Every structure is written in structure tokens, then in C-alpha cells.
Amino acid sequence: NAGVTQTPKFRILKIGQSMTLQCAQDMNHNYMYWYRQDPGMGLKLIYYSVGAGITDKGEVPNGYNVSRSTTEDFPLRLELAAPSQTSVYFCASSLLAGGPNEQFFGPGTRLTVL
Amino acid sequence: AQTVTQSQPEMSVQEAETVTLSCTYDTSESDYYLFWYKQPPSRQMILVIRQEAYKQQNATENRFSVNFQKAAKSFSLKISDSQLGDAAMYFCALTFPPDSNYQLIWGAGTKLIIKP
């Protein structure tokens, strides 16, 4: 049981390039989330999904896109990378949302845009 | 607006001693849930402890306990018998029942240093 996995662990992009951050979970969780963590700040929600085929915007969705074709996978797409997207990105999942339900996190992807 | 504030960017404690991390929050809702998550240097966020607002009894998980003061909107984390493995960033987070806005609202974190 691997939990939540993310690839890559590190990536450097040039301004204007695009990339996809991969996230997968093997816990059969319905809910999945993408967060970004900037230095000295708490996590900010980018996008979330309540199940395969259903996604919605979080607090900071601009410059990102997601898809959820399967329960297991929830990739995050960065189009036209900008320096403001330099951050650490975390994927998380939960069986249920809200209330006392725990979110399980991946190890993160450190992205630098130069 | 709902907010979570952690006023201590960094705390340090001697190994085996007790430390308390502060968290205050603001919400007009009466039903909510509070969490402390730990982020060690490996970066992977781990749940430490959770508290339901409707429960008056403070949550406890082994060496970790909370002091939940609902009227003061305060939710501090006490770590007893601190160990080197407790060194990490600690985040306080707030959420609401599943049938409402269930997104987690996060504090900025407190870096905990354990002195050997």
C-alpha cells in the first residue's frame, strides 16, 4: 500500500514551458486535492476532485488545469510556467471530505521556474 | 472570513521537555473541526491530532494533546517528553462538516526545533 505518490520530486522549468505533475493514490479514495505551499505560508488549495470525472477550483486555480479520468490518478497541468508558480506542490486524498476526515498527503514536488 | 493564525514562526525546546504551540482561528460557524498536522524534513504531511468543536474534552494522542478553548477560539498543541523525531513544521488547520465548505484552511506553520 503506497498511499499517495507524486512524481517528479524536483523539477526546474523555464518560463513559458509546460509540465504535468503526476499524483496517484491506491486507497480508493473519492476525494483528491492539489495544494501549493509557498515559503512561510500555509497550504493553498489549487483544485480538488470529488470523484472520477468531477473537478472544481480551489483558492488559487489560475495557471493550472486538472483532470480526473480514474479514481486513482489526479494529474496537475501547468501551462506557460511563470516564476510565481515556483513552489512546493502537494497532492492529497481522503475517503470522505470535511468533518473529522483525515487527508493523506504525498511527498510533494519542488518546482522552480526560472 | 475564516482564518487560522499561528503566531510563532519558530519554537525550540530541550529534548524530553514539554512545548506548546499556539493556534487561533476565526469562524462564525459553531460546528467545525480542528487539526494539527506535522511536516518533517521529508516534507510528507502527517496528521497528529484532531478535535471536534462540539466535544468539550481535549483530544489526546500519546505524547500529543490539545488545549481547545472554544470561546477564545484557541487550539494549542502540547508535546510532552519531546523527542528528536518531533522536529518538524507543525500546521494548524480548520474545516467544516461534509455538507458545507469542507476545504481545509491552514495556518502558516510553526517550525519546532528540538535541542539534544
Side-chain angles (χ1 to χ4, degrees), chain A residues 107 110, chain B residues 38-44 84-89:
Chain A
R110 183 177 295 277
Chain B
K38 170 185 178 181
Q39 186 181 40
S42 64
R43 292 207 307 248
Q44 196 148 2
L84 293 177
D86 295 333
M89 285 290 294

Side-chain angles (χ1 to χ4, degrees), chain B residues 72-107:
Chain B
K73 296 183 180 176
S74 170
F75 182 61
S76 59
L77 175 70
K78 186 171 89 170
I79 306 173
S80 304
D81 186 26
S82 299
Q83 300 175 1
L84 293 177
D86 295 333
M89 285 290 294
Y90 286 82
F91 292 92
C92 180
L94 164 71
T95 193
F96 301 95
D99 58 353
S100 66
N101 179 6
Y102 50 77
Q103 296 178 19
L104 277 168
I105 300 163
W106 296 83

